Amino acid sequence: MEEEKNNMDARIILYNQHYGFLENPTNFSFDRHPHRLIIKNYALRNKDRKIYENYLNDFFPNEAVQELANFDAESPHVVALSNKDLSVWLLENHVKLLQSDINDTDKDAIFRVMPIAEGENPDAYLEEEGGFILKNISPLKIIDFPYRVWINKTFS
């Protein structure tokens, strides 16, 4: 668990170098705040609600009650899947588009399904910019990752 915490701390430093959220926290909305997403990612993967609750109470007290309810609803549905299980799940659920909470190539990223209308081209939602957070991605890109992939099985 200590290594996980160190990874989270290192990720905060790296992402802050890119976004500058520690120096300018008000430049980001609650939904797109990189620091919050990193803490939430750690909390979901490690089932550590307390760290996320403490963070929210310190930085987003007005959002804490609703966000913790969201966290409690999501938490049981966040799982790490092998390549085979991931492929089956993606096919069974007809997943056309995913979104990563943190960098999509990070082995700790949690992906959630992004709903798109029937007949709509998922490629229209793919971005090629250099951001780390909330990045849309094709399911085909993640099935060959050489590690288990974290999926939030709740549908938006």
Side-chain angles (χ1 to χ4, degrees), residues 2 46 86 90 154:
E2 188 63 31
N46 291 285
L86 176 64
L90 291 169
T154 55

Side-chain angles (χ1 to χ4, degrees), residues 23-35:
E23 298 81 7
N24 302 298
T26 58
N27 287 356
F28 302 90
S29 68
F30 175 79
D31 291 334
R32 298 192 62 83
H33 202 290
H35 195 198

Side-chain angles (χ1 to χ4, degrees), residues 73-107:
E74 287 179 59
S75 184
H77 302 285
V78 173
V79 296
L81 299 176
S82 68
N83 294 52
K84 181 181 177 189
D85 292 339
L86 176 64
S87 296
V88 169
W89 186 83
L90 291 169
L91 285 172
E92 285 177 348
N93 290 282
H94 310 287
V95 175
K96 297 176 185 171
L97 186 67
L98 295 166
Q99 185 178 75
S100 64
D101 58 347
I102 59 174
N103 190 7
D104 60 335
T105 60
D106 191 317
K107 70 176 181 61

Side-chain angles (χ1 to χ4, degrees), residues 2-16:
E2 188 63 31
E3 182 179 337
E4 283 282 325
K5 186 94 165 69
N6 290 338
N7 287 343
M8 180 186 68
D9 293 342
R11 190 171 290 122
I12 289 168
I13 292 167
L14 175 68
Y15 283 45
N16 186 57

Side-chain angles (χ1 to χ4, degrees), residues 11-132:
R11 190 171 290 122
I12 289 168
I13 292 167
L14 175 68
Y15 283 45
N16 186 57
Q17 288 173 347
H18 182 78
Y19 289 107
F21 55 81
L22 294 176
E23 298 81 7
N24 302 298
T26 58
N27 287 356
F28 302 90
S29 68
F30 175 79
D31 291 334
R32 298 192 62 83
H33 202 290
H35 195 198
R36 182 188 71 81
L37 292 168
I38 293 167
I39 302 294
K40 183 176 183 180
N41 171 284
Y42 171 87
L44 283 169
R45 288 183 302 99
N46 291 285
K47 308 296 185 211
D48 188 351
R49 183 184 195 272
K50 195 68 178 164
I51 195 169
Y52 193 47
E53 181 178 5
N54 290 341
Y55 173 81
L56 290 171
N57 287 330
D58 287 346
F59 294 97
F60 296 101
N62 295 336
E63 308 284 348
V65 171
Q66 181 60 51
E67 180 58 15
L68 288 171
N70 294 343
F71 179 90
D72 292 340
E74 287 179 59
S75 184
H77 302 285
V78 173
V79 296
L81 299 176
S82 68
N83 294 52
K84 181 181 177 189
D85 292 339
L86 176 64
S87 296
V88 169
W89 186 83
L90 291 169
L91 285 172
E92 285 177 348
N93 290 282
H94 310 287
V95 175
K96 297 176 185 171
L97 186 67
L98 295 166
Q99 185 178 75
S100 64
D101 58 347
I102 59 174
N103 190 7
D104 60 335
T105 60
D106 191 317
K107 70 176 181 61
D108 293 334
I110 300 172
F111 296 89
R112 69 181 180 104
V113 175
M114 294 298 294
I116 58 172
E118 190 62 38
E120 223 176 336
N121 183 357
D123 292 343
Y125 295 94
L126 300 177
E127 307 148 9
E128 291 301 322
E129 51 103 347
F132 292 135

